[in-house]
Amino acid sequence: MRWLVYLYPKTWKERYGNELTDILKQTDTSFKTIIDLLIGIIDAWHMELKERNAYGYRISQVLVVVAVINLFIVLKLKPLGEVIEVEIAATIAVLIAMASLFLAAVALVVSIFKFGRDGLTLKPKLSKAALGLMGSYAVFMVTFLVLIN
């Protein structure tokens, strides 16, 4: 029955695996125990996947907001000079772009050192963060280029 512990997500096993194994050593094998473990496995995976989706959802919300702001700037619904100080906004956009490029490079290098070849894939969260930061770099550079023209 201890083999069921290996069906839990890795993060869950790291935190609770030893405790559950100790409890299973002390309990009798029964149908109810196996059903409880299976329900626990489903619940743990549900929580794990929900956390992963929430992270991606937050990133997508930020990118949508930035894209809408860029859309308003590009379409020039109002004359740009009335809405913002163009020079200040362009300076801020390029500073944010450079900072996000630097952070993306750092995150990617750390991911490569920490995970080896897998650091270049999208499996580690650091690689996903680096990709998101590179995307924000692109968005803010486009904003900068639109503002200076």
Side-chain angles (χ1 to χ4, degrees):
M1 198 163 65
R2 281 183 263 155
W3 63 271
L4 286 171
V5 175
Y6 295 105
L7 296 177
Y8 281 90
K10 181 180 178 183
T11 54
W12 192 96
K13 284 187 292 191
E14 289 172 353
R15 186 167 181 185
Y16 304 109
N18 293 334
E19 294 174 30
L20 182 60
T21 304
D22 292 340
I23 291 170
L24 290 175
K25 288 178 185 176
Q26 297 172 5
T27 59
D28 295 331
T29 303
S30 69
F31 184 70
K32 184 184 181 310
T33 306
I34 293 173
I35 295 298
D36 285 343
L37 284 172
L38 292 174
I39 290 172
I41 291 167
I42 292 170
D43 185 49
W45 274 107
H46 174 71
M47 294 301 290
E48 177 83 13
L49 294 174
K50 186 177 177 183
E51 289 175 9
R52 289 180 189 173
N53 288 340
Y55 174 75
Y57 182 69
R58 287 186 206 119
I59 295 276
S60 66
Q61 284 179 330
V62 169
L63 291 177
V64 165
V65 168
V66 170
V68 168
I69 291 170
N70 282 327
L71 180 68
F72 281 113
I73 291 171
V74 171
L75 292 178
K76 297 181 182 178
L77 294 178
K78 282 188 168 182
L80 204 53
E82 292 179 14
V83 179
I84 51 174
E85 283 289 324
V86 177
E87 293 83 19
I88 294 172
T91 304
I92 291 171
V94 79
L95 288 175
I96 292 172
M98 291 300 127
S100 62
L101 179 64
F102 175 73
L103 290 173
V106 168
L108 190 61
V109 167
V110 169
S111 178
I112 291 169
F113 278 116
K114 187 173 181 178
F115 300 106
R117 288 185 75 96
D118 284 339
L120 293 173
T121 65
L122 287 178
K123 291 178 185 176
K125 288 183 180 180
L126 277 173
S127 297
K128 292 176 187 175
L131 183 65
L133 287 166
M134 286 179 197
S136 66
Y137 164 75
V139 167
F140 281 105
M141 280 309 290
V142 167
T143 303
F144 171 73
L145 293 173
V146 167
L147 286 173
I148 62 170
N149 285 336

mmCIF file of all heavy atoms in Angstrom, residues 90-122:
data_model
loop_
_atom_site.group_PDB
_atom_site.id
_atom_site.type_symbol
_atom_site.label_atom_id
_atom_site.label_comp_id
_atom_site.label_asym_id
_atom_site.label_seq_id
_atom_site.Cartn_x
_atom_site.Cartn_y
_atom_site.Cartn_z
ATOM 1 N N ALA A 90 8.435 57.232 -22.830
ATOM 2 C CA ALA A 90 9.410 56.484 -23.627
ATOM 3 C C ALA A 90 10.601 56.071 -22.770
ATOM 4 O O ALA A 90 11.091 54.941 -22.875
ATOM 5 C CB ALA A 90 9.870 57.318 -24.817
ATOM 6 N N THR A 91 11.044 56.955 -21.902
ATOM 7 C CA THR A 91 12.162 56.628 -21.009
ATOM 8 C C THR A 91 11.785 55.502 -20.064
ATOM 9 O O THR A 91 12.554 54.559 -19.853
ATOM 10 C CB THR A 91 12.577 57.879 -20.209
ATOM 11 O OG1 THR A 91 12.895 58.928 -21.120
ATOM 12 C CG2 THR A 91 13.766 57.588 -19.316
ATOM 13 N N ILE A 92 10.592 55.582 -19.487
ATOM 14 C CA ILE A 92 10.124 54.530 -18.571
ATOM 15 C C ILE A 92 9.995 53.202 -19.304
ATOM 16 O O ILE A 92 10.401 52.149 -18.796
ATOM 17 C CB ILE A 92 8.794 54.940 -17.909
ATOM 18 C CG1 ILE A 92 9.027 56.103 -16.946
ATOM 19 C CG2 ILE A 92 8.155 53.766 -17.175
ATOM 20 C CD1 ILE A 92 7.766 56.728 -16.408
ATOM 21 N N ALA A 93 9.447 53.240 -20.530
ATOM 22 C CA ALA A 93 9.276 52.010 -21.300
ATOM 23 C C ALA A 93 10.617 51.350 -21.601
ATOM 24 O O ALA A 93 10.759 50.131 -21.469
ATOM 25 C CB ALA A 93 8.523 52.295 -22.601
ATOM 26 N N VAL A 94 11.608 52.132 -21.987
ATOM 27 C CA VAL A 94 12.908 51.534 -22.314
ATOM 28 C C VAL A 94 13.609 51.045 -21.050
ATOM 29 O O VAL A 94 14.292 50.014 -21.077
ATOM 30 C CB VAL A 94 13.790 52.503 -23.139
ATOM 31 C CG1 VAL A 94 14.447 53.562 -22.286
ATOM 32 C CG2 VAL A 94 14.842 51.726 -23.910
ATOM 33 N N LEU A 95 13.440 51.717 -19.925
ATOM 34 C CA LEU A 95 14.029 51.240 -18.669
ATOM 35 C C LEU A 95 13.402 49.919 -18.224
ATOM 36 O O LEU A 95 14.107 48.997 -17.802
ATOM 37 C CB LEU A 95 13.884 52.297 -17.580
ATOM 38 C CG LEU A 95 14.777 53.535 -17.720
ATOM 39 C CD1 LEU A 95 14.441 54.554 -16.643
ATOM 40 C CD2 LEU A 95 16.236 53.161 -17.680
ATOM 41 N N ILE A 96 12.087 49.828 -18.345
ATOM 42 C CA ILE A 96 11.402 48.573 -17.994
ATOM 43 C C ILE A 96 11.846 47.462 -18.944
ATOM 44 O O ILE A 96 12.083 46.324 -18.527
ATOM 45 C CB ILE A 96 9.874 48.755 -18.013
ATOM 46 C CG1 ILE A 96 9.443 49.671 -16.866
ATOM 47 C CG2 ILE A 96 9.160 47.412 -17.901
ATOM 48 C CD1 ILE A 96 7.985 50.063 -16.912
ATOM 49 N N ALA A 97 11.969 47.784 -20.230
ATOM 50 C CA ALA A 97 12.398 46.784 -21.216
ATOM 51 C C ALA A 97 13.801 46.277 -20.902
ATOM 52 O O ALA A 97 14.044 45.063 -20.922
ATOM 53 C CB ALA A 97 12.348 47.375 -22.622
ATOM 54 N N MET A 98 14.716 47.180 -20.584
ATOM 55 C CA MET A 98 16.087 46.760 -20.286
ATOM 56 C C MET A 98 16.144 45.944 -18.994
ATOM 57 O O MET A 98 16.876 44.950 -18.908
ATOM 58 C CB MET A 98 17.013 47.979 -20.171
ATOM 59 C CG MET A 98 17.243 48.687 -21.473
ATOM 60 S SD MET A 98 17.985 47.586 -22.688
ATOM 61 C CE MET A 98 16.881 47.787 -24.028
ATOM 62 N N ALA A 99 15.374 46.347 -17.992
ATOM 63 C CA ALA A 99 15.352 45.589 -16.732
ATOM 64 C C ALA A 99 14.780 44.191 -16.948
ATOM 65 O O ALA A 99 15.310 43.203 -16.421
ATOM 66 C CB ALA A 99 14.540 46.339 -15.681
ATOM 67 N N SER A 100 13.715 44.093 -17.746
ATOM 68 C CA SER A 100 13.124 42.770 -17.977
ATOM 69 C C SER A 100 14.046 41.889 -18.822
ATOM 70 O O SER A 100 14.118 40.684 -18.607
ATOM 71 C CB SER A 100 11.741 42.885 -18.618
ATOM 72 O OG SER A 100 11.826 43.501 -19.873
ATOM 73 N N LEU A 101 14.792 42.484 -19.754
ATOM 74 C CA LEU A 101 15.761 41.702 -20.524
ATOM 75 C C LEU A 101 16.867 41.181 -19.615
ATOM 76 O O LEU A 101 17.260 40.017 -19.702
ATOM 77 C CB LEU A 101 16.358 42.532 -21.660
ATOM 78 C CG LEU A 101 17.399 41.813 -22.516
ATOM 79 C CD1 LEU A 101 16.754 40.645 -23.254
ATOM 80 C CD2 LEU A 101 18.044 42.764 -23.488
ATOM 81 N N PHE A 102 17.362 42.026 -18.717
ATOM 82 C CA PHE A 102 18.392 41.603 -17.777
ATOM 83 C C PHE A 102 17.880 40.483 -16.870
ATOM 84 O O PHE A 102 18.551 39.458 -16.688
ATOM 85 C CB PHE A 102 18.854 42.803 -16.933
ATOM 86 C CG PHE A 102 19.816 42.428 -15.856
ATOM 87 C CD1 PHE A 102 21.127 42.095 -16.162
ATOM 88 C CD2 PHE A 102 19.413 42.400 -14.531
ATOM 89 C CE1 PHE A 102 22.014 41.737 -15.163
ATOM 90 C CE2 PHE A 102 20.288 42.049 -13.525
ATOM 91 C CZ PHE A 102 21.599 41.715 -13.838
ATOM 92 N N LEU A 103 16.673 40.646 -16.329
ATOM 93 C CA LEU A 103 16.109 39.613 -15.462
ATOM 94 C C LEU A 103 15.848 38.321 -16.222
ATOM 95 O O LEU A 103 16.025 37.229 -15.687
ATOM 96 C CB LEU A 103 14.824 40.113 -14.808
ATOM 97 C CG LEU A 103 14.997 41.205 -13.752
ATOM 98 C CD1 LEU A 103 13.642 41.726 -13.310
ATOM 99 C CD2 LEU A 103 15.794 40.691 -12.574
ATOM 100 N N ALA A 104 15.441 38.428 -17.482
ATOM 101 C CA ALA A 104 15.218 37.232 -18.300
ATOM 102 C C ALA A 104 16.521 36.479 -18.514
ATOM 103 O O ALA A 104 16.566 35.248 -18.412
ATOM 104 C CB ALA A 104 14.598 37.615 -19.644
ATOM 105 N N ALA A 105 17.582 37.212 -18.800
ATOM 106 C CA ALA A 105 18.883 36.565 -19.003
ATOM 107 C C ALA A 105 19.360 35.897 -17.722
ATOM 108 O O ALA A 105 19.848 34.760 -17.745
ATOM 109 C CB ALA A 105 19.898 37.588 -19.486
ATOM 110 N N VAL A 106 19.202 36.576 -16.588
ATOM 111 C CA VAL A 106 19.614 35.999 -15.299
ATOM 112 C C VAL A 106 18.797 34.741 -14.996
ATOM 113 O O VAL A 106 19.353 33.706 -14.600
ATOM 114 C CB VAL A 106 19.473 37.042 -14.171
ATOM 115 C CG1 VAL A 106 19.602 36.399 -12.810
ATOM 116 C CG2 VAL A 106 20.508 38.138 -14.344
ATOM 117 N N ALA A 107 17.469 34.816 -15.190
ATOM 118 C CA ALA A 107 16.617 33.659 -14.913
ATOM 119 C C ALA A 107 16.975 32.481 -15.804
ATOM 120 O O ALA A 107 17.005 31.331 -15.353
ATOM 121 C CB ALA A 107 15.139 34.030 -15.091
ATOM 122 N N LEU A 108 17.270 32.741 -17.065
ATOM 123 C CA LEU A 108 17.630 31.660 -17.985
ATOM 124 C C LEU A 108 18.978 31.035 -17.612
ATOM 125 O O LEU A 108 19.117 29.808 -17.620
ATOM 126 C CB LEU A 108 17.666 32.178 -19.424
ATOM 127 C CG LEU A 108 17.803 31.116 -20.504
ATOM 128 C CD1 LEU A 108 16.627 30.151 -20.458
ATOM 129 C CD2 LEU A 108 17.891 31.754 -21.864
ATOM 130 N N VAL A 109 19.943 31.856 -17.250
ATOM 131 C CA VAL A 109 21.257 31.325 -16.855
ATOM 132 C C VAL A 109 21.135 30.492 -15.577
ATOM 133 O O VAL A 109 21.690 29.394 -15.479
ATOM 134 C CB VAL A 109 22.281 32.470 -16.683
ATOM 135 C CG1 VAL A 109 23.537 31.996 -15.991
ATOM 136 C CG2 VAL A 109 22.609 33.088 -18.037
ATOM 137 N N VAL A 110 20.374 30.995 -14.605
ATOM 138 C CA VAL A 110 20.174 30.241 -13.362
ATOM 139 C C VAL A 110 19.452 28.929 -13.656
ATOM 140 O O VAL A 110 19.790 27.876 -13.107
ATOM 141 C CB VAL A 110 19.394 31.087 -12.329
ATOM 142 C CG1 VAL A 110 18.947 30.246 -11.157
ATOM 143 C CG2 VAL A 110 20.246 32.248 -11.849
ATOM 144 N N SER A 111 18.472 28.976 -14.534
ATOM 145 C CA SER A 111 17.739 27.763 -14.900
ATOM 146 C C SER A 111 18.660 26.740 -15.558
ATOM 147 O O SER A 111 18.580 25.540 -15.274
ATOM 148 C CB SER A 111 16.589 28.120 -15.843
ATOM 149 O OG SER A 111 15.905 26.971 -16.253
ATOM 150 N N ILE A 112 19.544 27.202 -16.413
ATOM 151 C CA ILE A 112 20.475 26.287 -17.080
ATOM 152 C C ILE A 112 21.438 25.674 -16.073
ATOM 153 O O ILE A 112 21.701 24.471 -16.096
ATOM 154 C CB ILE A 112 21.231 27.012 -18.213
ATOM 155 C CG1 ILE A 112 20.268 27.337 -19.356
ATOM 156 C CG2 ILE A 112 22.390 26.171 -18.724
ATOM 157 C CD1 ILE A 112 20.839 28.267 -20.393
ATOM 158 N N PHE A 113 21.965 26.496 -15.160
ATOM 159 C CA PHE A 113 22.886 25.967 -14.153
ATOM 160 C C PHE A 113 22.189 25.019 -13.186
ATOM 161 O O PHE A 113 22.767 24.033 -12.753
ATOM 162 C CB PHE A 113 23.559 27.095 -13.372
ATOM 163 C CG PHE A 113 24.734 27.683 -14.093
ATOM 164 C CD1 PHE A 113 24.714 29.004 -14.498
ATOM 165 C CD2 PHE A 113 25.846 26.913 -14.367
ATOM 166 C CE1 PHE A 113 25.791 29.548 -15.162
ATOM 167 C CE2 PHE A 113 26.936 27.455 -15.040
ATOM 168 C CZ PHE A 113 26.900 28.776 -15.436
ATOM 169 N N LYS A 114 20.940 25.325 -12.852
ATOM 170 C CA LYS A 114 20.225 24.501 -11.875
ATOM 171 C C LYS A 114 19.722 23.191 -12.476
ATOM 172 O O LYS A 114 19.798 22.152 -11.840
ATOM 173 C CB LYS A 114 19.055 25.291 -11.291
ATOM 174 C CG LYS A 114 18.351 24.591 -10.160
ATOM 175 C CD LYS A 114 17.323 25.477 -9.513
ATOM 176 C CE LYS A 114 16.661 24.731 -8.373
ATOM 177 N NZ LYS A 114 15.695 25.562 -7.685
ATOM 178 N N PHE A 115 19.201 23.237 -13.706
ATOM 179 C CA PHE A 115 18.554 22.069 -14.293
ATOM 180 C C PHE A 115 19.326 21.447 -15.458
ATOM 181 O O PHE A 115 18.869 20.468 -16.045
ATOM 182 C CB PHE A 115 17.142 22.431 -14.762
ATOM 183 C CG PHE A 115 16.252 22.926 -13.674
ATOM 184 C CD1 PHE A 115 15.930 24.265 -13.569
ATOM 185 C CD2 PHE A 115 15.752 22.052 -12.723
ATOM 186 C CE1 PHE A 115 15.111 24.726 -12.555
ATOM 187 C CE2 PHE A 115 14.940 22.499 -11.713
ATOM 188 C CZ PHE A 115 14.625 23.838 -11.624
ATOM 189 N N GLY A 116 20.448 22.023 -15.844
ATOM 190 C CA GLY A 116 21.218 21.472 -16.963
ATOM 191 C C GLY A 116 20.501 21.683 -18.286
ATOM 192 O O GLY A 116 19.955 22.751 -18.543
ATOM 193 N N ARG A 117 20.472 20.645 -19.111
ATOM 194 C CA ARG A 117 19.820 20.757 -20.425
ATOM 195 C C ARG A 117 18.325 21.011 -20.298
ATOM 196 O O ARG A 117 17.727 21.639 -21.160
ATOM 197 C CB ARG A 117 20.064 19.491 -21.238
ATOM 198 C CG ARG A 117 21.482 19.362 -21.733
ATOM 199 C CD ARG A 117 21.628 18.146 -22.624
ATOM 200 N NE ARG A 117 21.046 18.354 -23.932
ATOM 201 C CZ ARG A 117 21.711 18.742 -25.005
ATOM 202 N NH1 ARG A 117 22.993 18.992 -24.905
ATOM 203 N NH2 ARG A 117 21.124 18.870 -26.162
ATOM 204 N N ASP A 118 17.712 20.506 -19.227
ATOM 205 C CA ASP A 118 16.276 20.749 -19.030
ATOM 206 C C ASP A 118 15.987 22.221 -18.766
ATOM 207 O O ASP A 118 14.847 22.664 -18.887
ATOM 208 C CB ASP A 118 15.743 19.901 -17.872
ATOM 209 C CG ASP A 118 15.570 18.450 -18.260
ATOM 210 O OD1 ASP A 118 15.467 18.173 -19.478
ATOM 211 O OD2 ASP A 118 15.529 17.586 -17.360
ATOM 212 N N GLY A 119 16.995 22.995 -18.393
ATOM 213 C CA GLY A 119 16.809 24.423 -18.174
ATOM 214 C C GLY A 119 16.470 25.175 -19.446
ATOM 215 O O GLY A 119 15.939 26.276 -19.398
ATOM 216 N N LEU A 120 16.773 24.570 -20.598
ATOM 217 C CA LEU A 120 16.446 25.197 -21.879
ATOM 218 C C LEU A 120 15.044 24.840 -22.363
ATOM 219 O O LEU A 120 14.591 25.362 -23.367
ATOM 220 C CB LEU A 120 17.478 24.799 -22.935
ATOM 221 C CG LEU A 120 18.883 25.338 -22.692
ATOM 222 C CD1 LEU A 120 19.854 24.734 -23.697
ATOM 223 C CD2 LEU A 120 18.897 26.845 -22.772
ATOM 224 N N THR A 121 14.369 23.941 -21.655
ATOM 225 C CA THR A 121 12.994 23.597 -22.014
ATOM 226 C C THR A 121 12.040 24.458 -21.191
ATOM 227 O O THR A 121 12.465 25.252 -20.363
ATOM 228 C CB THR A 121 12.721 22.112 -21.734
ATOM 229 O OG1 THR A 121 12.813 21.881 -20.321
ATOM 230 C CG2 THR A 121 13.712 21.214 -22.461
ATOM 231 N N LEU A 122 10.760 24.274 -21.388
ATOM 232 C CA LEU A 122 9.778 25.034 -20.622
ATOM 233 C C LEU A 122 9.270 24.266 -19.409
ATOM 234 O O LEU A 122 8.251 24.625 -18.841
ATOM 235 C CB LEU A 122 8.600 25.431 -21.514
ATOM 236 C CG LEU A 122 8.904 26.530 -22.512
ATOM 237 C CD1 LEU A 122 7.699 26.807 -23.382
ATOM 238 C CD2 LEU A 122 9.351 27.792 -21.825
#
